[in-house]
Amino acid sequence: MRTFDYKRADDAHSAVNAHSGQAAAYLAGGTTLIDLVKLDVMQPERLVDINRLAYDAIETTAEGGLRIGAMVRNTALADDDRVRRDYTVLSEALLQGASRQLRNRATTAGNVMQRVRCSYFRDGVSPCNKRVPGSGCSAIEGHNREVFAVLGTSDHCIAAHPSDMCVAMAAIGATVHVTGPSGDRTVDFLDFHKLPGDTPHIEHELGEDELITQVSLDAPIDGSGSTYIKLRDRSSYQFALASCAAVVALDGDRITAARLALGGVGTKPWRAADAEAALVGQPATREAFKQAAATAMQGATPYKHNAFKIPLARKAIVRALTDAAARARGDTT
Amino acid sequence: MSDSIIGAAVSRIDGPDKLTGRARYAGDFQPEGMVYAYGVYSTIARGRITGIDTTLAMRSPGVIDIFHHGRFPRLHRSPGTFAEENVVDEKRTPFEDDRIHYMGQFVALVVAETYEQARAAAYKVRVDYERDAQRAAATLAQGIEDNGVEHANDSERGDPAGAYDGAAYRVDAVYTTPVETHNPMETHATVAEWVDGRLRVFDSTQGVIFTRNTLSRVFDLDPSQVEVHADFIGSGFGGKLWVWPHCVATCAAAREVGRPVQFVLPRQQMFTTVGHRPETRQHVRLGADDDGRLLSIRHETINSSSPVGTVVEACGGSTQGLYACDNLRISHATAITNRGTPTAMRAPGAGVGLFALESAMDELAAELGIDPLELRRRNFTAHDQGADKPYSSNHLLECYDRAAEAFGWSRRTPEVGSMRDGDRILGWGMAACNWEAMRNPCDARVALRADGTASIHCASQDIGTGTYTILAQIASHELGLPLESIHVTLGDSTFPHGPISGGSWATATLLPAVAEASRAAIKKLKNYARNAASPLAGARGDSLVYDSGRLSDDSGRSATVAEILGAQSLANAVGEAHTGGAPDSGYSFDSFGVHFVEVAWEPEIAHLEVTRVVSAIDAGAIINAKSARNQVEGAVVMGLGSALLETTEYDERNARPVNSNYAEYLVPVNADMPDLDVILLDHPDYELNEFGARGIGEIGLTGMQAAVANAVYHATGRRVRDLPIMLDKLIDDD
């Protein structure tokens, strides 16, 4: 950790002002940022503390969705009655992330903005295109089992996006509300995180000094069931090796709507649109789910230590679809 | 009270201090004027330093000095022997020269007014390196390839090769175990201050005497000029047995800057410069007759070692004598890798050695088509053929019976995948445990005090296992005083000479010394009681009887300790004792046990869960039913981690540990806990000491990985010979 300047902002306007013209970082829960500053991986000259900003509410939108304040803590979001009822997948995803202590601090916007767990990014020394653009990717030929992707990778970066919450939001459908020097705007959640391509240091759509103020969720699909399945080596406090957020609506036993997103395997929260499309109109059978899983993982690229993630993700998909469909039928499992 | 206190489930007496934060750990001590040190660590694993530029760092706020190989006092190496009690695994002293032997080696130490300032400046130290032309050996395989294998030791009896060739049933398999990192909650910490040429150190150490002796050699001081304190330790698991470079560097820096210096090792460096359990490759060959009787055992191990010190992982130690077998060969060898030195980690040797042997026994049972428990029963021995002595007390068969009964082993169906619980396939496996029971010489001092309490002093330490508590229990038993009246003080090298907390020998070593010192204190009290000013003046020496803090003579007179000492204005009656090591009585001393494990394998989501563990442990008399159970439960959990999760991963291109943090170096969490049943046999082994206790810190870890691996085989048909058993080794590509 190097010396930095600290400013506490009282509103979004003053936060953006304090951020501009500096090598600055917004400080919310700090669960990623402070770690990386201590490790000397991030070297902000100024931290702009946004914890006092009044974005701490979860409101119902006119469209029947929810608008979640940037500063709503992960614990509060997971425990919210409307989230538990209408967006079970989101509550379950949050509760399988990190530990309770971390969830008590971590915020909604901070979760959207969390950095990758790639050890080569975090060691501050190895070549890493995210940390030092153009220096190379150490992970591609290195040790790449746990927190590395098989979807959306490039020759420049294979780090998996670590969030569980974002996977659920990608499945639900969401909008990121942003404010900044040139005013307010919105970004579709699926467009917010960027593929690494040949610019892995550009991770998201935020412009200079821009700040996330809210994330709004699309209205829940009527009669749908949803769930989040996270597969990992230990039962808690580990990032997903493969995870799946599934939302399924049925008419009888026929699938009328399906939403599918993957975690642990993608370089961004990974919406599996082709697999969704193939499911609609199909009977909710194991065969259909397995076919969807195969479709979702079709373009996957295995690396030296993480090839197992491809079959593992397929298993997560089949299980998530099975459980979501059961919930859509009203089974109490 | 005196009859029931030994063996009772007594809560740890230091619990309230730990819970309320009164317990002070090394990093909690802040001598007047203390400053902080932060390390700079090598970012290559093999080569040399070509330049260190501290210009920018020296200008950083608060910096006092920066040490490195070009600016550091000349120190001496410790002889590093157990007999002299000054063991070090990394022989080199810090900053000795410009050579780099492993990733994360100390290359500089920044001292500044605050911790944050020291860290900020450390990041500004620029170090240039030149890599050696030859690669750094990142793994045991690379070490063998690049540097060859160095023979360490071997032993043989009978004709193991010939017996194997003639055996009806054989197993020939290679097992591997990865580097494991100790990772106690409390990282290593040292606070050092020099006062008038004397060195005073607060250190997170498992051995205040060993640390004192080592530092006295490094700084060329008389041991009496060095004081080492360790009131509380946030566990060590063997990683804190010996002195590591940071401790020496901190002491030297404190002398150079003329102020006390604190150093706390960052979590990432727990993976580089303070030891680890080495990687092992174990070749096991078993031969048996038609009845499953072992005709030949060969257990040959190579472990990864280091350019800065050779450490041999004695995997075959338990194999010498656990089973009856006339033809046996054990060998150990090492290969140099570019890592810091390995060191003892909880149950060194048997901890991973029994993974290989007990997995091979399971494979042999499968070959023979007999029950794995029955195979072990048939090969039971009460005679340690390795030492050619009978075991002092071996109740392994009773362990088998009681644990099998509690587990329900008789309901096991042997076919792979034949037992189910809904969608989950159950696997039942078992493995034996074994650990040598050791005892070392020990001194102790016990004082009966005028206020009616008693104090115990010994230069040993409690690393979190419950040593404080069992010593209070023993003194309470001997002195007939309530537990609350016993004050135990450990962790100070100026106290009577005590043992390191390692090898599971603290209990067997300390109890006799404390008991004898207690009796010596009573004897001293009796001497004082006959003095003129005493209420028992003139009593005949052999007429005095001590009971529960009171002396009585044969004339009906009686007085309390307080009355006897108070009447003479004496503070206390002090007893001192020196007790010896394990008696040379013709016995071999070992502890035994068995683990039964149930796993549930859900192939649909590639999910493996350990659902039940039943362990029966024969570790002699149980002194504290609560802390003993706690030790075995903790060891079982650690064994589960070793079986399923733990592995320090190195980048094969440059020997950098890549999962050097608590998030990616996986150990079990609470949610992974199985239903855990620990059966403690509690058969005293009076051959080892008067209380019959053999120690219990490590036995519960041994065999655990094999029990899990054997259960996994029973569930899945996959014989995993390479730890840890992560799901990638079990998943089907469906």
Side-chain angles (χ1 to χ4, degrees), chain B residues 656-678:
Chain B
R656 180 194 309 283
V658 295
N659 58 342
S660 53
N661 62 64
Y662 254 172
E664 270 88 31
Y665 182 86
L666 302 176
V667 297
V669 293
N670 281 326
D672 293 317
M673 285 309 100
D675 181 16
L676 202 56
D677 182 9
V678 173

Side-chain angles (χ1 to χ4, degrees), chain A residues 1-3 37-40 117 119-120 122-123 125-126 137-139 141-143 145-147 229 231-239 241 286 290 304-305 308 311-312 314-316 318-319, chain B residues 38 43 61 116 119-120 123-124 268 423 602-608 644-645 649-654 656 658-659 661-669 671-672 726-728 731-734:
Chain A
M1 184 180 284
R2 305 189 187 216
T3 309
V37 171
K38 282 181 179 173
L39 292 170
D40 206 31
R117 292 294 308 184
S119 51
Y120 301 100
R122 290 171 63 89
D123 70 19
V125 176
S126 300
C137 174
S138 299
E141 300 291 330
H143 191 84
R145 177 184 182 270
E146 212 178 319
V147 289
I229 296 292
L231 303 180
R232 44 185 163 175
D233 296 305
R234 65 179 170 191
S235 306
S236 175
Y237 197 59
Q238 190 188 359
F239 294 91
L241 295 171
R286 184 175 166 74
K290 287 186 80 163
K304 188 173 178 186
H305 302 106
F308 74 96
L312 191 67
R314 288 198 295 260
K315 288 173 186 291
V318 172
R319 174 58 62 93
Chain B
Y38 197 89
T43 56
E116 290 76 12
R119 181 170 59 186
Y123 287 143
K124 294 177 187 168
Q268 304 97 286
D423 289 340
E602 194 172 358
E604 291 293 302
I605 51 170
H607 182 66
L608 182 73
L644 300 172
L645 299 168
E649 303 277 11
Y650 295 83
D651 190 310
E652 295 194 0
R653 300 165 300 180
N654 56 26
R656 180 194 309 283
V658 295
N659 58 342
N661 62 64
Y662 254 172
E664 270 88 31
Y665 182 86
L666 302 176
V667 297
V669 293
D672 293 317
M726 283 188 164
L727 61 88
D728 13 343
I731 191 170
D732 55 61
D733 197 359
D734 182 9

Side-chain angles (χ1 to χ4, degrees), chain B residues 157-177:
Chain B
R157 62 177 181 251
D159 174 16
Y164 177 85
D165 290 340
Y169 291 89
R170 298 178 207 167
V171 169
D172 180 340
V174 173
Y175 303 87
T176 69
T177 65

Side-chain angles (χ1 to χ4, degrees), chain B residues 609-632:
Chain B
E609 185 184 340
V610 175
T611 45
R612 285 199 298 141
V613 177
V614 176
S615 305
I617 301 293
D618 168 28
I622 300 305
I623 302 303
N624 183 330
K626 201 168 182 176
S627 58
R629 182 171 305 275
N630 175 252
Q631 281 297 299
V632 176

